[in-house]
Amino acid sequence: MKPLIIAAAMAAALTAAPVLAQDAWRAHSPEIQSVDAAVRAPLEAYLRGHATGSADDFRPAFHPDAQLWGMRNGGLIRMTAEEYIGRASGSPPADEAQRRRWIEAIDVTGDTAVAKIILDYPAVRFTDYMALSRIDGRWVIVNKMFQAEPKAPAA
């Protein structure tokens, strides 16, 4: 039984080592911190757009040719970034105080990045996967894929 426990512990340590090394490097590298901040900028604009309902907050997040694809209620939804931005109400949602949003993860390689964002709302939880590119020195979302998961009504 001991060899199995030792093997499991070694596998866990080896699996975590690259993540720990990457996090340590990230914490001490001004270049990486600068890239992280630049990649976060369009993601934070996207989150701000959801909070404010403002098209002006959403617009800088997306490349003009960005496409959005997702699944909601078992059906495929597809639209352009401009169609998505055009759906902005112009004001914060009525239930804004109950809504939570956050950037779950970001992975950057060169001029390409992916991010996972969670939008946790009273009636639905969205998981967004963003593909970003650095174009002319500016990071923008070039593709969004999402899954909407309705929540059961509160009892």
Side-chain angles (χ1 to χ4, degrees):
M1 184 80 56
K2 283 186 182 183
L4 182 58
I5 294 170
I6 293 170
M10 288 179 61
L14 290 173
T15 303
V19 172
L20 295 174
Q22 180 181 11
D23 288 345
W25 179 59
R26 184 176 306 280
H28 294 97
S29 171
E31 176 187 351
I32 293 300
Q33 289 174 353
S34 173
V35 169
D36 277 354
V39 172
R40 283 181 178 276
L43 300 172
E44 289 168 355
Y46 171 77
L47 294 175
R48 200 168 36 259
H50 277 283
T52 65
S54 170
D56 290 338
D57 285 331
F58 276 120
R59 195 160 275 110
F62 291 98
H63 185 276
D65 296 327
Q67 294 285 311
L68 292 77
W69 297 73
M71 298 301 293
R72 187 165 192 181
N73 300 323
L76 176 66
I77 297 171
R78 180 178 171 211
M79 66 187 88
T80 66
E82 200 53 45
E83 289 169 330
Y84 182 76
I85 293 166
R87 295 170 58 176
S89 68
S91 60
D95 62 353
E96 179 57 26
Q98 288 101 15
R99 293 178 176 220
R100 302 288 176 257
R101 304 172 188 89
W102 64 91
I103 300 168
E104 183 85 4
I106 298 174
D107 189 10
V108 180
T109 304
D111 293 326
T112 303
V114 292
K116 179 179 180 181
I117 291 180
I118 304 297
L119 308 171
D120 192 11
Y121 297 165
V124 64
R125 180 181 172 115
F126 292 95
T127 302
D128 293 344
Y129 293 94
M130 307 296 201
L132 299 98
S133 291
R134 183 169 30 196
I135 301 171
D136 298 327
R138 183 174 156 260
W139 286 94
V140 289
I141 298 166
V142 295
N143 185 264
K144 170 186 164 179
M145 295 179 61
F146 68 92
Q147 177 72 42
E149 298 172 296
K151 294 181 176 180

